[in-house]
Amino acid sequence: EVQLVQSGTEVKKPGESLKISCKGSGYIFTSYWIGWVRQMPGKGLEWIGIIYPTDSDTRYSPSFQGQVTISADKSISTAYLQWSSLKASDTAIYYCARRQAGSRLDYWGQGTLVTVSS
Amino acid sequence: QSALTQPASVSGSPGQSITISCTGTSSDVGGYKYVSWYQQHPAKAPKLMIYDVSNRPSGVSNRFSGSKSGDTASLTISGLQAEDEADYYCNSYTSSNTLGVFGTGTKVTVL
């Protein structure tokens, strides 16, 4: 069974750093891109970026370029999304998902709620 | 890259059929057969319902169907049921970037 399991809820202060994770199982982790998607409170889905775990080839949405860093450790089948300096506007649920050809996301993690507040 | 345009809300009575539209441009919806649809219940992760315009993943009810005409894709839910009440998002491959572009989302209400 394909599963993506994300790390738990985070509560941070503005300016702090954060790294959240997404662990894949039930499939060959290095054979598929992993995508990250943001959902701000009461809002829709937004692409953040994607990573190919085999070689860590990474692509970012222009809106997120320079704001976050996506990485992966293929030895433990885990992808990461990190911030060096959080802002209140980063408050959102962040989802990882397995990306297939044609941009479809066929399996999703349960989401990680990140709250940034002073 | 602007989000694809979806109606904010669509409603129907149990047993009826409803259709949700997803309008883009020739650079995304109109240019590729790579439109997917996602269902999201409150406080849950999205779930893939349709991919490549009209294909259903294993386990998805055949009450859900997808189509495309020009720059507009559509998701039809037939035999509407209470459990179909959720938010729905389209996504399309786009020539503007290598990620894709989501729709604005549609809230489906079962009356």
Side-chain angles (χ1 to χ4, degrees), chain A residues 18-40:
Chain A
L18 175 64
K19 190 174 188 177
I20 62 175
S21 66
C22 167
K23 183 173 176 60
S25 62
Y27 74 101
I28 300 172
F29 188 72
T30 49
S31 294
Y32 298 86
W33 291 80
I34 290 286
W36 285 96
V37 174
R38 182 176 79 173
Q39 187 167 39
M40 299 179 76

Side-chain angles (χ1 to χ4, degrees), chain B residues 48-92:
Chain B
L48 178 66
M49 304 301 284
I50 295 287
Y51 68 94
D52 294 353
V53 175
S54 59
N55 293 300
R56 271 189 314 275
S58 174
V60 172
S61 171
N62 59 9
R63 298 186 298 103
F64 292 84
S65 61
S67 62
K68 191 185 80 160
S69 177
D71 296 341
T72 298
S74 299
L75 174 71
T76 298
I77 309 174
S78 58
L80 199 61
Q81 298 180 1
E83 67 206 49
D84 300 331
E85 188 161 289
D87 294 326
Y88 291 82
Y89 296 91
C90 59
N91 176 67
S92 173

Side-chain angles (χ1 to χ4, degrees), chain A residues 4-118:
Chain A
L4 293 170
V5 178
Q6 298 184 230
S7 49
T9 296
E10 300 278 0
V11 179
K12 292 288 192 178
K13 291 182 169 23
E16 291 186 331
S17 63
L18 175 64
K19 190 174 188 177
I20 62 175
S21 66
C22 167
K23 183 173 176 60
S25 62
Y27 74 101
I28 300 172
F29 188 72
T30 49
S31 294
Y32 298 86
W33 291 80
I34 290 286
W36 285 96
V37 174
R38 182 176 79 173
Q39 187 167 39
M40 299 179 76
K43 302 298 184 182
L45 305 175
E46 302 172 86
W47 281 100
I48 298 173
I50 56 175
I51 187 165
Y52 193 60
T54 296
D55 58 6
S56 289
D57 184 6
T58 308
R59 319 283 173 85
Y60 294 94
S61 162
S63 301
F64 291 90
Q65 181 80 48
Q67 306 305 308
V68 298
T69 301
I70 294 171
S71 59
D73 185 340
K74 61 184 179 182
S75 70
I76 56 172
S77 302
T78 301
Y80 302 96
L81 177 65
Q82 69 180 88
W83 296 258
S84 59
S85 181
L86 286 160
K87 302 185 282 287
S89 58
D90 293 318
T91 295
I93 297 173
Y94 294 86
Y95 293 102
C96 66
R98 191 177 78 167
R99 185 176 183 271
Q100 291 267 24
S103 186
R104 77 176 183 266
L105 299 168
D106 61 351
Y107 289 92
W108 292 67
Q110 81 275 22
T112 295
L113 173 61
V114 175
T115 301
V116 184
S117 174
S118 54

